[in-house]
Coordinates of all heavy atoms in Angstrom, one line a residue:
M1 N 19.9 -27.4 -2.7 CA 20.7 -27.1 -1.5 C 22.1 -27.3 -1.9 O 22.4 -28.5 -2.6 CB 20.3 -28.2 -0.5 CG 20.9 -27.9 0.8 SD 20.4 -28.9 2.3 CE 18.9 -29.8 1.8
F2 N 22.9 -26.6 -1.5 CA 24.4 -26.7 -1.8 C 25.2 -26.9 -0.6 O 24.8 -26.6 0.5 CB 24.9 -25.3 -2.4 CG 24.2 -25.1 -3.8 CD1 23.1 -24.4 -4.0 CD2 24.8 -25.7 -5.0 CE1 22.5 -24.3 -5.2 CE2 24.2 -25.5 -6.1 CZ 23.1 -24.8 -6.4
D3 N 26.2 -27.6 -0.8 CA 27.3 -27.9 0.2 C 27.9 -26.6 0.9 O 28.3 -25.7 0.2 CB 28.3 -28.8 -0.2 CG 29.3 -29.3 0.8 OD1 29.7 -28.5 1.7 OD2 29.7 -30.4 0.7
K4 N 27.8 -26.3 2.2 CA 28.3 -25.2 2.8 C 29.9 -25.0 2.7 O 30.3 -23.9 2.6 CB 27.9 -25.1 4.3 CG 28.5 -26.0 5.1 CD 28.1 -25.9 6.6 CE 28.6 -26.9 7.5 NZ 30.0 -26.6 8.0
D5 N 30.6 -26.2 2.5 CA 32.0 -26.0 2.4 C 32.4 -26.0 0.9 O 33.5 -25.6 0.7 CB 32.6 -27.3 3.2 CG 32.4 -27.2 4.6 OD1 32.4 -26.2 5.3 OD2 32.1 -28.5 5.2
D6 N 31.6 -26.4 0.0 CA 31.8 -26.4 -1.4 C 30.6 -25.9 -2.1 O 29.9 -26.8 -2.5 CB 32.3 -27.7 -1.8 CG 32.7 -27.7 -3.3 OD1 32.8 -26.7 -4.0 OD2 33.0 -28.9 -3.8
P7 N 30.3 -24.6 -2.1 CA 29.1 -24.1 -2.7 C 28.8 -24.5 -4.1 O 27.6 -24.4 -4.6 CB 29.2 -22.6 -2.5 CG 30.3 -22.5 -1.5 CD 31.1 -23.7 -1.5
K8 N 29.7 -24.9 -5.0 CA 29.5 -25.4 -6.2 C 28.9 -26.7 -6.4 O 28.3 -27.2 -7.3 CB 30.6 -25.2 -7.2 CG 31.9 -26.1 -6.8 CD 33.0 -25.8 -7.8 CE 34.1 -26.7 -7.5 NZ 34.9 -26.5 -6.4
H9 N 28.9 -27.5 -5.2 CA 28.5 -28.8 -5.1 C 26.9 -28.9 -4.8 O 26.7 -28.6 -3.5 CB 29.3 -29.7 -4.1 CG 28.9 -31.0 -4.1 ND1 28.4 -31.6 -2.9 CD2 28.9 -32.1 -5.0 CE1 28.0 -32.8 -3.0 NE2 28.4 -33.2 -4.3
L10 N 26.1 -29.4 -5.6 CA 24.7 -29.4 -5.4 C 24.4 -30.8 -4.6 O 24.7 -31.9 -5.0 CB 23.9 -29.6 -6.7 CG 22.5 -29.8 -6.6 CD1 21.8 -28.5 -5.9 CD2 21.8 -29.9 -8.0
I11 N 23.8 -30.6 -3.5 CA 23.5 -31.7 -2.5 C 22.2 -32.3 -2.9 O 22.1 -33.7 -3.1 CB 23.5 -31.3 -1.1 CG1 25.0 -30.9 -0.7 CG2 23.1 -32.5 -0.2 CD1 24.9 -30.3 0.8
E12 N 21.2 -31.5 -3.0 CA 19.8 -32.0 -3.4 C 19.1 -30.9 -4.1 O 19.1 -29.8 -3.7 CB 19.1 -32.4 -2.1 CG 17.7 -32.9 -2.3 CD 17.1 -33.4 -1.0 OE1 17.8 -33.4 0.0 OE2 16.0 -33.8 -1.1
Q13 N 18.2 -31.3 -5.0 CA 17.3 -30.4 -5.6 C 15.9 -30.7 -5.3 O 15.4 -31.7 -5.5 CB 17.5 -30.5 -7.3 CG 16.6 -29.4 -8.0 CD 17.0 -29.4 -9.4 OE1 18.1 -30.0 -9.8 NE2 16.1 -28.9 -10.2
T14 N 15.2 -29.7 -4.6 CA 14.0 -30.0 -4.1 C 12.8 -29.7 -5.1 O 11.7 -30.2 -5.0 CB 13.6 -29.3 -2.8 OG1 13.8 -27.9 -3.1 CG2 14.6 -29.7 -1.7
E15 N 13.0 -28.7 -5.8 CA 12.0 -28.4 -6.9 C 12.0 -29.3 -8.1 O 13.0 -29.5 -8.7 CB 12.3 -26.9 -7.3 CG 11.0 -26.4 -8.0 CD 11.0 -24.9 -8.2 OE1 11.5 -24.2 -7.4 OE2 10.5 -24.5 -9.2
R16 N 10.8 -29.8 -8.4 CA 10.7 -30.6 -9.6 C 9.5 -30.0 -10.5 O 8.5 -29.4 -9.8 CB 10.1 -32.0 -9.2 CG 11.2 -32.8 -8.3 CD 12.4 -33.3 -9.1 NE 13.2 -34.2 -8.3 CZ 14.3 -33.8 -7.7 NH1 14.8 -32.6 -7.9 NH2 15.1 -34.7 -7.0
P17 N 9.5 -30.1 -11.8 CA 8.4 -29.5 -12.6 C 7.1 -30.0 -12.0 O 6.1 -29.2 -12.1 CB 8.6 -30.0 -13.9 CG 10.1 -30.2 -14.0 CD 10.5 -30.8 -12.5
E18 N 6.9 -31.2 -11.7 CA 5.6 -31.7 -11.3 C 5.1 -31.4 -9.9 O 4.0 -31.5 -9.5 CB 5.5 -33.3 -11.5 CG 6.4 -34.0 -10.5 CD 7.9 -34.2 -10.9 OE1 8.2 -33.6 -12.0 OE2 8.6 -34.8 -10.3
R19 N 6.1 -30.9 -9.1 CA 5.9 -30.4 -7.7 C 6.8 -29.2 -7.3 O 7.6 -29.4 -6.6 CB 6.1 -31.5 -6.8 CG 5.2 -31.5 -5.5 CD 5.3 -32.7 -4.7 NE 5.7 -32.2 -3.4 CZ 6.5 -32.8 -2.5 NH1 7.0 -34.1 -2.8 NH2 6.8 -32.3 -1.3
P20 N 6.4 -28.0 -7.7 CA 7.2 -26.8 -7.6 C 7.1 -26.4 -6.1 O 6.2 -26.5 -5.4 CB 6.6 -25.8 -8.4 CG 5.3 -26.2 -8.7 CD 5.2 -27.7 -8.7
V21 N 8.2 -25.8 -5.6 CA 8.1 -25.3 -4.1 C 7.4 -24.1 -4.2 O 6.7 -23.8 -3.2 CB 9.7 -25.0 -3.8 CG1 9.6 -24.4 -2.4 CG2 10.4 -26.3 -3.7
L22 N 7.5 -23.3 -5.2 CA 6.7 -22.0 -5.3 C 6.0 -22.0 -6.6 O 6.6 -22.4 -7.6 CB 7.6 -20.7 -5.3 CG 8.4 -20.5 -4.0 CD1 9.3 -19.3 -4.2 CD2 7.4 -20.0 -2.9
K23 N 4.7 -21.5 -6.6 CA 4.0 -21.3 -7.9 C 3.1 -20.1 -7.8 O 2.6 -19.8 -6.7 CB 3.3 -22.6 -8.3 CG 2.2 -23.0 -7.4 CD 1.5 -24.2 -7.9 CE 0.3 -24.5 -7.0 NZ -0.5 -25.7 -7.5
P24 N 3.0 -19.3 -8.8 CA 2.1 -18.2 -8.7 C 0.7 -18.5 -8.4 O 0.0 -19.3 -9.1 CB 2.1 -17.5 -10.2 CG 3.3 -18.2 -10.7 CD 3.5 -19.5 -10.1
E25 N 0.1 -17.9 -7.3 CA -1.2 -18.2 -6.9 C -2.0 -16.9 -6.7 O -3.2 -16.9 -6.9 CB -1.4 -19.2 -5.7 CG -0.9 -20.6 -6.0 CD -0.9 -21.5 -4.8 OE1 -1.2 -21.0 -3.7 OE2 -0.7 -22.7 -5.0
M26 N -1.5 -16.0 -5.9 CA -2.0 -14.8 -5.6 C -2.0 -13.7 -6.8 O -1.2 -13.8 -7.6 CB -1.3 -14.1 -4.4 CG -1.2 -15.0 -3.2 SD -2.8 -15.6 -2.5 CE -3.5 -14.0 -1.9
P27 N -3.0 -12.8 -6.8 CA -3.2 -11.9 -7.9 C -1.8 -11.1 -8.1 O -1.5 -10.8 -9.3 CB -4.2 -11.0 -7.5 CG -5.0 -11.8 -6.5 CD -4.2 -12.7 -5.8
Y28 N -1.2 -10.7 -7.1 CA 0.1 -9.9 -7.2 C 1.2 -10.8 -7.7 O 2.3 -10.2 -8.2 CB 0.4 -9.2 -5.9 CG 0.6 -10.2 -4.7 CD1 1.9 -10.7 -4.5 CD2 -0.3 -10.5 -3.8 CE1 2.1 -11.6 -3.4 CE2 -0.2 -11.3 -2.8 CZ 1.1 -12.0 -2.6 OH 1.3 -12.7 -1.5
E29 N 1.1 -12.1 -7.8 CA 2.1 -13.0 -8.3 C 1.8 -13.1 -9.8 O 2.7 -13.7 -10.5 CB 2.2 -14.3 -7.5 CG 2.5 -14.1 -6.1 CD 2.4 -15.4 -5.3 OE1 1.6 -16.2 -5.7 OE2 3.0 -15.5 -4.3
K30 N 0.7 -12.8 -10.3 CA 0.2 -13.2 -11.6 C 0.1 -12.0 -12.5 O -0.6 -12.0 -13.5 CB -1.2 -13.8 -11.6 CG -1.2 -15.2 -10.9 CD -2.5 -15.9 -11.0 CE -2.5 -17.3 -10.6 NZ -3.6 -18.1 -10.7
T31 N 0.7 -10.9 -12.1 CA 0.8 -9.7 -12.9 C 2.1 -9.5 -13.5 O 3.1 -10.4 -13.2 CB 0.5 -8.4 -12.1 OG1 1.4 -8.3 -11.1 CG2 -0.9 -8.4 -11.5
G32 N 2.3 -8.7 -14.5 CA 3.7 -8.5 -15.0 C 3.9 -9.1 -16.4 O 2.9 -9.2 -17.2
Q33 N 5.0 -9.4 -16.8 CA 5.3 -9.9 -18.1 C 4.8 -11.1 -18.5 O 4.4 -11.3 -19.7 CB 6.9 -9.9 -18.3 CG 7.4 -10.2 -19.6 CD 8.9 -10.2 -19.7 OE1 9.6 -9.8 -18.8 NE2 9.4 -10.6 -20.8
Y34 N 4.7 -12.1 -17.6 CA 4.1 -13.4 -18.0 C 2.7 -13.7 -17.5 O 2.4 -13.4 -16.3 CB 5.0 -14.5 -17.4 CG 6.4 -14.3 -17.9 CD1 7.4 -13.7 -17.0 CD2 6.8 -14.7 -19.1 CE1 8.7 -13.8 -17.4 CE2 8.1 -14.6 -19.6 CZ 9.0 -14.1 -18.7 OH 10.4 -14.0 -19.1
A35 N 1.8 -14.1 -18.4 CA 0.3 -14.2 -18.1 C 0.2 -15.1 -17.0 O -0.8 -15.1 -16.2 CB -0.4 -14.5 -19.2
A36 N 0.9 -16.3 -16.9 CA 0.7 -17.4 -15.9 C 1.3 -16.9 -14.6 O 1.1 -17.4 -13.6 CB 1.4 -18.6 -16.3
G37 N 2.2 -15.8 -14.6 CA 2.6 -15.3 -13.3 C 4.1 -15.8 -13.2 O 4.6 -16.6 -14.0
T38 N 4.9 -15.1 -12.2 CA 6.2 -15.5 -11.9 C 6.5 -15.5 -10.4 O 6.1 -14.5 -9.7 CB 7.2 -14.5 -12.5 OG1 6.8 -14.4 -13.9 CG2 8.6 -14.9 -12.4
T39 N 7.1 -16.6 -9.9 CA 7.6 -16.6 -8.5 C 9.0 -17.3 -8.6 O 9.2 -18.3 -9.3 CB 6.6 -17.4 -7.5 OG1 6.5 -18.7 -8.1 CG2 5.4 -16.6 -7.3
F40 N 9.9 -16.8 -7.8 CA 11.3 -17.3 -7.7 C 12.0 -17.1 -6.5 O 11.9 -15.9 -5.9 CB 12.2 -16.8 -9.0 CG 12.2 -15.3 -9.1 CD1 13.1 -14.5 -8.5 CD2 11.1 -14.8 -9.7 CE1 13.0 -13.1 -8.6 CE2 11.0 -13.4 -10.0 CZ 12.0 -12.5 -9.4
A41 N 12.6 -18.1 -5.8 CA 13.2 -18.0 -4.5 C 14.4 -17.0 -4.6 O 15.1 -17.0 -5.6 CB 13.6 -19.4 -4.0
E42 N 14.6 -16.1 -3.6 CA 15.7 -15.2 -3.6 C 16.7 -15.5 -2.4 O 17.7 -15.3 -2.5 CB 15.1 -13.8 -3.4 CG 14.5 -13.3 -4.7 CD 15.5 -13.0 -5.8 OE1 16.6 -12.7 -5.5 OE2 15.0 -13.1 -6.9
G43 N 16.0 -15.9 -1.2 CA 16.9 -16.1 -0.1 C 16.3 -16.9 1.0 O 15.0 -16.6 1.3
L44 N 16.9 -17.7 1.6 CA 16.4 -18.5 2.9 C 17.2 -18.0 4.0 O 18.3 -18.1 4.2 CB 16.6 -19.9 2.6 CG 16.0 -20.9 3.7 CD1 14.4 -20.6 3.8 CD2 16.3 -22.3 3.3
V45 N 16.3 -17.5 5.1 CA 17.1 -17.1 6.5 C 16.4 -17.7 7.6 O 15.2 -18.1 7.7 CB 16.7 -15.5 6.6 CG1 17.3 -15.1 7.8 CG2 17.3 -14.7 5.4
Y46 N 17.2 -18.3 8.6 CA 16.9 -18.9 9.8 C 17.0 -17.8 10.9 O 18.0 -17.3 11.1 CB 17.7 -20.0 10.1 CG 17.3 -20.9 11.3 CD1 16.2 -21.6 11.3 CD2 18.0 -20.7 12.5 CE1 15.7 -22.2 12.5 CE2 17.6 -21.4 13.6 CZ 16.4 -22.2 13.7 OH 16.0 -22.8 14.8
F47 N 15.8 -17.5 11.5 CA 15.8 -16.4 12.5 C 14.8 -16.7 13.7 O 13.6 -17.0 13.3 CB 15.5 -15.1 11.8 CG 15.6 -13.9 12.7 CD1 16.8 -13.5 13.2 CD2 14.4 -13.2 13.0 CE1 16.8 -12.4 14.0 CE2 14.5 -12.1 13.9 CZ 15.6 -11.6 14.4
H48 N 15.3 -16.7 14.9 CA 14.3 -16.9 16.0 C 13.4 -18.2 15.8 O 12.2 -18.2 15.8 CB 13.3 -15.8 16.2 CG 14.1 -14.6 16.8 ND1 14.3 -14.4 18.2 CD2 14.7 -13.5 16.2 CE1 15.0 -13.3 18.4 NE2 15.3 -12.7 17.2
D49 N 14.1 -19.4 15.5 CA 13.5 -20.6 15.4 C 12.4 -20.7 14.3 O 11.4 -21.5 14.3 CB 12.8 -21.1 16.7 CG 13.7 -21.3 17.8 OD1 14.8 -21.9 17.5 OD2 13.3 -21.0 18.9
R50 N 12.6 -19.8 13.2 CA 11.7 -19.9 12.1 C 12.5 -19.8 10.8 O 13.6 -19.2 10.9 CB 10.7 -18.7 12.1 CG 9.7 -18.8 13.3 CD 8.5 -17.9 13.1 NE 7.7 -18.2 12.0 CZ 6.7 -19.2 12.0 NH1 6.6 -19.9 13.0 NH2 6.0 -19.3 10.9
W51 N 12.0 -20.3 9.7 CA 12.6 -20.1 8.4 C 11.9 -19.0 7.7 O 10.6 -19.0 7.6 CB 12.5 -21.4 7.7 CG 13.5 -22.5 8.1 CD1 13.3 -23.6 8.9 CD2 15.0 -22.4 7.9 NE1 14.4 -24.2 9.1 CE2 15.4 -23.6 8.5 CE3 15.9 -21.6 7.2 CZ2 16.9 -23.9 8.4 CZ3 17.2 -22.0 7.1 CH2 17.6 -23.1 7.8
F52 N 12.6 -18.2 7.1 CA 11.9 -17.1 6.2 C 12.4 -17.3 4.7 O 13.7 -17.2 4.5 CB 12.4 -15.7 6.7 CG 11.8 -15.3 8.1 CD1 12.3 -16.0 9.2 CD2 10.7 -14.4 8.1 CE1 11.7 -15.6 10.4 CE2 10.3 -14.1 9.4 CZ 10.7 -14.7 10.6
L53 N 11.5 -17.6 3.8 CA 12.0 -17.6 2.5 C 11.4 -16.4 1.7 O 10.2 -16.2 1.6 CB 11.4 -18.9 1.7 CG 11.5 -19.1 0.2 CD1 13.1 -19.2 0.0 CD2 10.7 -20.2 -0.3
Y54 N 12.3 -15.6 1.3 CA 12.0 -14.4 0.5 C 12.0 -14.8 -1.0 O 12.9 -15.5 -1.5 CB 13.2 -13.3 0.7 CG 13.0 -12.9 2.2 CD1 13.8 -13.4 3.1 CD2 12.2 -11.7 2.5 CE1 13.7 -13.1 4.6 CE2 12.2 -11.3 3.8 CZ 12.9 -11.9 4.9 OH 12.9 -11.5 6.1
Y55 N 11.0 -14.3 -1.7 CA 10.9 -14.6 -3.1 C 10.4 -13.4 -3.9 O 9.6 -12.7 -3.5 CB 9.9 -15.8 -3.2 CG 8.4 -15.5 -2.9 CD1 7.6 -15.3 -3.9 CD2 8.0 -15.5 -1.6 CE1 6.3 -15.0 -3.7 CE2 6.7 -15.2 -1.3 CZ 5.8 -14.9 -2.4 OH 4.5 -14.7 -2.1
G56 N 10.8 -13.5 -5.2 CA 10.3 -12.5 -6.1 C 9.0 -12.9 -6.7 O 8.8 -14.1 -6.9
C57 N 8.1 -11.9 -7.1 CA 6.9 -12.3 -7.7 C 6.6 -11.2 -8.7 O 6.8 -10.0 -8.5 CB 5.8 -12.4 -6.7 SG 5.6 -11.3 -5.3
A58 N 6.1 -11.7 -9.8 CA 5.6 -10.9 -11.0 C 6.7 -9.9 -11.5 O 6.5 -8.8 -11.9 CB 4.4 -10.2 -10.6
D59 N 8.0 -10.2 -11.3 CA 9.1 -9.4 -11.7 C 9.2 -8.0 -11.1 O 9.9 -7.2 -11.6 CB 9.1 -9.3 -13.3 CG 9.2 -10.7 -14.0 OD1 10.1 -11.4 -13.4 OD2 8.7 -10.9 -15.0
S60 N 8.4 -7.7 -10.1 CA 8.4 -6.4 -9.5 C 8.2 -6.3 -8.0 O 8.3 -5.2 -7.5 CB 7.4 -5.6 -10.3 OG 6.0 -6.0 -10.0
L61 N 7.8 -7.4 -7.5 CA 7.6 -7.4 -6.0 C 8.4 -8.5 -5.3 O 9.0 -9.4 -5.9 CB 6.1 -7.7 -5.7 CG 5.2 -6.7 -6.4 CD1 3.7 -7.2 -6.2 CD2 5.2 -5.4 -5.7
V62 N 8.6 -8.3 -3.9 CA 9.1 -9.3 -3.1 C 8.1 -9.8 -2.0 O 7.5 -9.0 -1.4 CB 10.6 -8.7 -2.5 CG1 11.1 -9.7 -1.5 CG2 11.4 -8.3 -3.5
G63 N 8.2 -11.1 -1.9 CA 7.3 -11.6 -0.8 C 8.1 -12.5 0.1 O 9.3 -12.7 0.0
V64 N 7.4 -12.8 1.2 CA 8.0 -13.8 2.2 C 7.1 -14.8 2.7 O 5.9 -14.4 2.9 CB 8.7 -13.0 3.3 CG1 7.7 -12.3 4.3 CG2 9.5 -13.9 4.3
V65 N 7.5 -16.0 2.9 CA 6.7 -17.1 3.5 C 7.5 -17.6 4.6 O 8.8 -17.5 4.6 CB 6.5 -18.2 2.5 CG1 5.4 -17.8 1.5 CG2 7.6 -18.9 1.9
T66 N 7.0 -18.0 5.8 CA 7.6 -18.5 6.9 C 7.2 -19.8 7.3 O 6.1 -20.3 7.0 CB 7.3 -17.5 8.0 OG1 6.0 -17.6 8.4 CG2 8.0 -16.1 7.9
S67 N 8.0 -20.5 8.1 CA 7.7 -21.8 8.6 C 8.5 -22.0 9.9 O 9.6 -21.6 10.1 CB 8.1 -23.0 7.6 OG 8.0 -24.2 8.1
S68 N 7.9 -22.7 10.8 CA 8.6 -23.1 11.9 C 9.7 -24.0 11.7 O 9.6 -24.8 10.8 CB 7.6 -23.8 13.0 OG 7.2 -24.9 12.6
A69 N 10.7 -24.1 12.6 CA 11.8 -24.9 12.4 C 11.6 -26.3 12.6 O 12.3 -27.2 12.3 CB 13.1 -24.4 13.2
K70 N 10.5 -26.6 13.3 CA 10.2 -28.0 13.7 C 9.4 -28.7 12.8 O 8.7 -28.4 11.9 CB 9.6 -28.0 15.1 CG 10.4 -27.5 16.1 CD 9.7 -27.2 17.4 CE 10.6 -26.7 18.6 NZ 10.8 -25.4 18.6

């Protein structure tokens, strides 16, 4: 997470190697160049009281996961 007034300032890093935020689990995330699969966050959007996290998977697809704001 970065500071909204100073985007180069890192406030907190939530992803740790021992507990990733995203990891390849579905078949469409495990295809492509890397045998273990690839997932990477692309954008986080707040819309109608929900969070939408758009992510890339397997170097060729885009997925989305959602969560309530509460």
Side-chain angles (χ1 to χ4, degrees):
M1 184 175 349
F2 293 92
D3 186 318
K4 68 180 179 86
D5 297 319
D6 183 8
K8 68 181 180 287
H9 179 244
L10 178 65
I11 296 171
E12 184 177 352
Q13 184 172 343
T14 56
E15 188 167 333
R16 304 279 190 260
E18 66 277 3
R19 206 173 127 212
V21 174
L22 292 172
K23 66 180 182 177
E25 293 180 349
M26 302 304 290
Y28 58 86
E29 297 169 341
K30 292 185 173 184
T31 60
Q33 185 175 352
Y34 302 103
T38 307
T39 53
F40 47 93
E42 290 288 334
L44 182 63
V45 176
Y46 184 72
F47 183 69
H48 289 275
D49 295 325
R50 294 193 66 77
W51 287 104
F52 292 74
L53 176 63
Y54 293 88
Y55 68 100
C57 40
D59 297 325
S60 61
L61 301 171
V62 174
V64 64
V65 292
T66 64
S67 175
S68 66
K70 298 172 175 84

